[in-house]
Amino acid sequence: MGRRGVGRPRAVARPATGLSPREELLAAAAELFTVNGYSATTTREVAERAGIRQATLYHYFRGKEELLAELLESTVRPSLEAARLLAASDAPAGARLWALAHRDATLLCTGEHNLGALYLLPEADRFLGFQELRTALKQAYAHLLAPITAALPQHERDLRADLVYSVVESVILIRRNTSARAVEGMGEAVADAALRVGGVGEADLAHLRELGRALLPGR
């Protein structure tokens, strides 16, 4: 990504946020891309919103596409890292699947702007780094689901994995269409739904939910 600058002047005085210029630019891009649209936003507008000169923006990012790429990837990296940590746990796969779905859905529900909505942009398909991260995350879900669907034909196992992943990402549209949602409640509801779609029966769900909660950060 872009290089960090030294002593670059700001175009407009902005309230102190504690953010670096690079972080200011990403925050401005997140707001403008999600509120005004990616195609309608210019690098000049991003720089002005961040209180940074347009020439300075190019010191950190090569252009609008690189800003979008970083924002897209930032929505996947934490969940992929969580999947890697959960892979090392000796908890049942269903509990780990519940915890991953909870963390992933909660991430997509948090933040001032609905960055997950950027997935819906036609331009998102062009970013190979982002698509590779999403593929890796989807594979992590499929791996955790595999013991639950082991008795099914392969095509059915693949379908269940696709459905589980889609259930988690459905929070993007829910968040876009509904403003007042409890993040904690959304994480739990999505994680439960993911296990149900994956084939976990109600008799086992409560136990896996409890084990999954114990795998969440701070538990």
Side-chain angles (χ1 to χ4, degrees):
M1 292 299 168
R3 298 169 297 169
R4 178 72 182 270
V6 178
R8 298 284 174 166
R10 287 181 175 272
V12 180
R14 295 267 291 156
T17 62
L19 299 178
S20 69
R22 186 176 188 277
E23 291 167 336
E24 289 272 21
L25 288 165
L26 286 169
E31 177 183 356
L32 293 172
F33 291 170
T34 56
V35 175
N36 297 342
Y38 174 74
S39 297
T41 300
T42 66
T43 54
R44 180 181 294 278
E45 290 169 331
V46 173
E48 288 177 352
R49 185 70 188 90
I52 293 171
R53 298 182 188 279
Q54 186 178 18
T56 301
L57 180 150
Y58 292 111
H59 188 71
Y60 295 94
F61 298 95
R62 287 190 291 270
K64 193 167 70 167
E65 286 199 350
E66 193 167 293
L67 281 162
L68 178 57
E70 176 59 28
L71 290 173
L72 286 168
E73 291 179 18
S74 73
T75 66
V76 185
R77 288 195 204 102
S79 296
L80 191 54
E81 179 59 27
R84 288 168 178 154
L85 293 173
L86 288 167
S89 169
D90 58 1
R96 288 180 281 150
L97 178 62
W98 190 94
L100 178 58
H102 186 290
R103 293 181 67 170
D104 200 4
T106 300
L107 172 68
L108 290 171
C109 284
T110 54
E112 186 177 356
H113 305 290
N114 185 12
L115 292 181
L118 299 177
Y119 292 13
L120 307 177
L121 292 172
E123 293 86 355
D125 292 337
R126 299 203 307 260
F127 296 99
L128 297 182
F130 167 61
Q131 296 300 338
E132 287 172 0
L133 289 175
R134 284 188 80 197
T135 296
L137 182 58
K138 186 175 180 179
Q139 289 172 343
Y141 274 102
H143 177 73
L144 292 174
L145 184 63
I148 299 169
T149 59
L152 298 175
Q154 187 61 51
H155 72 277
E156 180 68 18
R157 296 172 65 183
D158 293 341
L159 176 59
R160 294 283 182 95
D162 287 341
L163 288 171
V164 166
Y165 195 64
S166 296
V167 164
V168 176
E169 289 199 342
S170 70
V171 300
I172 294 169
L173 293 177
I174 294 172
R175 182 180 178 186
R176 187 173 69 173
N177 296 327
T178 310
S179 57
R181 289 280 177 174
V183 172
E184 179 66 21
M186 183 67 74
E188 293 248 341
V190 169
D192 282 359
L195 262 64
R196 290 188 179 105
V197 167
V200 173
E202 293 299 321
D204 296 321
L205 179 56
H207 179 59
L208 291 174
R209 183 192 301 123
E210 281 305 305
L211 294 176
R213 283 193 186 122
L215 298 174
L216 297 176
R219 300 302 176 96

